[in-house]
Amino acid sequence: MHKTQFVRTQMLEPEEPPVSSRGMVGWLHANLFSNAFNAVLSLLSLAAIYWILSQVLPWMFSPTWYGTSLENCREINGPAGGACWGVIRERWLQLLFGFYPSELYWRPIATFLLLAVALAPVLFTSVPRKLMYFTAVYPFLMPWLLWGGSIWNPIVAAMGFALGYGVYRVIYDHFGNLAASIGALVAPVLWWLFLAAPASSLLQGVIPLGIEPVQSRLFGGFMLSLTIGVVGIALSLPLGILLALGRQSDLLIVRSLSVGFIEFIRGVPLITLLFVASTLLNIFMPPGTNFDIILRVIIMVTLFAAAYMAEVIRGGLAALPRGQYEAADALGLDFWLAQRLVIMPQALKISIPGIVSTFIGMFKDTTLVSIIGLLDPLGLLRSIRADANWNGIVWELYGFVALLFFIACFSMSRYSLYLERKLRTGHQ
């Protein structure tokens, strides 16, 4: 019997995927209704979300933006009830700026707008690198804009860093790296403690330049939290890196001091350190010394965050393969070059989630300063609710403050995810 063979000469036209695996139906099947158990959980969750929104949305969308008191809001809302947003309209500037003089609001606004400019070249590689010069100047510009006073104060403070660098270069050429590092730390401290104030006063007497000073007792609201948080974040990261390296140092004294500092700070609640900053530090200062309360709080918050940061970074250093250290040695790099070019970039990349979590936790912990009398947003809420017009309001005020903190913390979290994706070099 003769067999006939058939060979296809053209491909079949592709068919559409099943309806259950594409479009909205496919997404719902894959994410919400993949099996009976997930379908039940999805329906229960949707019912709970619907119930919450049905209660919250009518309460939120109440026509009380121009209410003058809680009683007036209740009259506007009627029996249905609702939020009283008049308190936010009346007090939102106070919640943002505290008791900062209203005619000087341009200074904190300019400070935090310039903060975005200073952070741009640090956070995003697409920004021109020349902006790094402004980033280096900003730490001295920020306190001058907020507190005011003589323009020579930040200039003299910057001279301390220049002095430390000069001392390092001079000593390094004759005595080596360790002696140079110690000299670079001691020289600026001596300059700031004993010579900076007389030098600033002398320059101000010769060329009087400055802006109106503002007392720290007028600081408050979200501006105070942002000031403490930004400065604490900026200072705790480099200090945490130094503590992490000190904990792994071969020098017994350096390692012991680093371990002792980290363990002591991590073993003490932050509120205890804030009470120390508020009451006990003045006891150890010379008589007549005026040690600014906000500066004391910033120092304690920075030290507290640096101790936790050191452990996060130490975890990143421990996760690196030993071969990376050996590769740096094989290239002939000294300790600091090896850390800057090989070790620390990889350790910081591994530690990004922990670093950002520490930043977010520290920023939220700035609300603890209300316990020692500083009027952060939570401290201001108590004074606002003590007003007879707004006595009894809770959710509107706390919700507004929570929204401000959520925006700041969520932004840090999203940037962390962006940075992780950008620095991901492994195989997908």
Side-chain angles (χ1 to χ4, degrees), residues 68-77 84 388-391:
T68 57
S69 67
L70 179 58
E71 292 299 324
N72 182 239
C73 290
R74 288 172 176 170
E75 292 175 2
I76 295 173
N77 285 322
C84 183
N389 288 331
W390 308 114
N391 188 12

Side-chain angles (χ1 to χ4, degrees), residues 137-154:
V137 172
Y138 182 79
F140 307 99
L141 181 63
M142 176 184 177
W144 179 68
L145 280 175
L146 290 178
W147 277 273
S150 172
I151 186 62
W152 298 109
N153 291 332

Side-chain angles (χ1 to χ4, degrees), residues 10-280:
Q10 61 183 13
M11 298 297 293
L12 290 174
E13 291 294 329
E15 297 183 0
E16 290 288 338
V19 176
S20 61
S21 62
R22 58 187 170 92
M24 180 58 69
V25 175
W27 185 89
L28 291 173
H29 182 269
N31 294 278
L32 299 179
F33 304 102
S34 56
N35 55 55
F37 181 71
N38 288 345
V40 172
L41 289 180
S42 298
L43 292 174
L44 291 176
S45 300
L46 290 173
I49 293 172
Y50 173 79
W51 182 83
I52 293 173
L53 292 179
S54 66
Q55 302 297 316
V56 172
L57 292 181
W59 177 85
M60 289 180 59
F61 292 100
S62 63
T64 55
W65 184 251
Y66 293 99
T68 57
S69 67
L70 179 58
E71 292 299 324
N72 182 239
C73 290
R74 288 172 176 170
E75 292 175 2
I76 295 173
N77 285 322
C84 183
W85 299 118
V87 64
I88 303 300
R89 179 192 58 80
E90 182 178 304
R91 299 299 186 98
W92 72 276
L93 285 175
Q94 187 179 11
L95 287 171
L96 290 180
F97 299 105
F99 298 100
Y100 206 87
S102 58
E103 68 275 10
L104 299 179
Y105 280 168
W106 66 270
R107 281 163 49 176
I109 293 173
T111 299
F112 294 114
L113 288 178
L114 292 175
L115 172 64
V117 177
L119 288 177
V122 178
L123 302 180
F124 304 102
T125 56
S126 58
V127 177
R129 295 292 93 187
K130 290 184 179 179
L131 274 178
M132 289 296 293
Y133 293 109
F134 179 75
T135 303
V137 172
Y138 182 79
F140 307 99
L141 181 63
M142 176 184 177
W144 179 68
L145 280 175
L146 290 178
W147 277 273
S150 172
I151 186 62
W152 298 109
N153 291 332
I155 294 176
V156 169
M159 290 170 62
F161 289 96
L163 176 64
Y165 178 76
V167 169
Y168 179 86
R169 298 309 307 173
V170 171
I171 299 179
Y172 182 82
D173 295 335
H174 297 85
F175 301 101
N177 184 52
L178 179 60
S181 299
I182 295 175
L185 291 175
V186 173
V189 172
L190 295 177
W191 168 264
W192 292 325
L193 287 178
F194 301 107
L195 298 176
S200 178
S201 300
L202 178 63
L203 291 170
Q204 181 68 10
V206 176
I207 308 176
L209 294 174
I211 55 178
E212 180 182 347
V214 177
Q215 299 297 320
S216 291
R217 59 184 175 81
L218 300 178
F219 281 55
F222 195 67
M223 181 189 73
L224 177 62
S225 295
L226 205 56
T227 300
I228 297 174
V230 167
V231 177
I233 287 172
L235 297 179
S236 63
L237 180 58
L239 185 57
I241 291 174
L242 292 177
L243 287 170
L245 294 176
R247 184 157 190 164
Q248 293 188 330
S249 174
D250 294 330
L251 298 173
L252 178 62
I253 295 178
V254 173
R255 185 172 65 252
S256 300
L257 290 176
S258 299
V259 172
F261 174 85
I262 292 171
E263 296 303 330
F264 172 76
I265 294 295
R266 292 175 69 221
V268 176
L270 177 58
I271 189 60
T272 303
L273 299 178
L274 293 178
F275 274 118
V276 170
S278 175
T279 58
L280 297 182

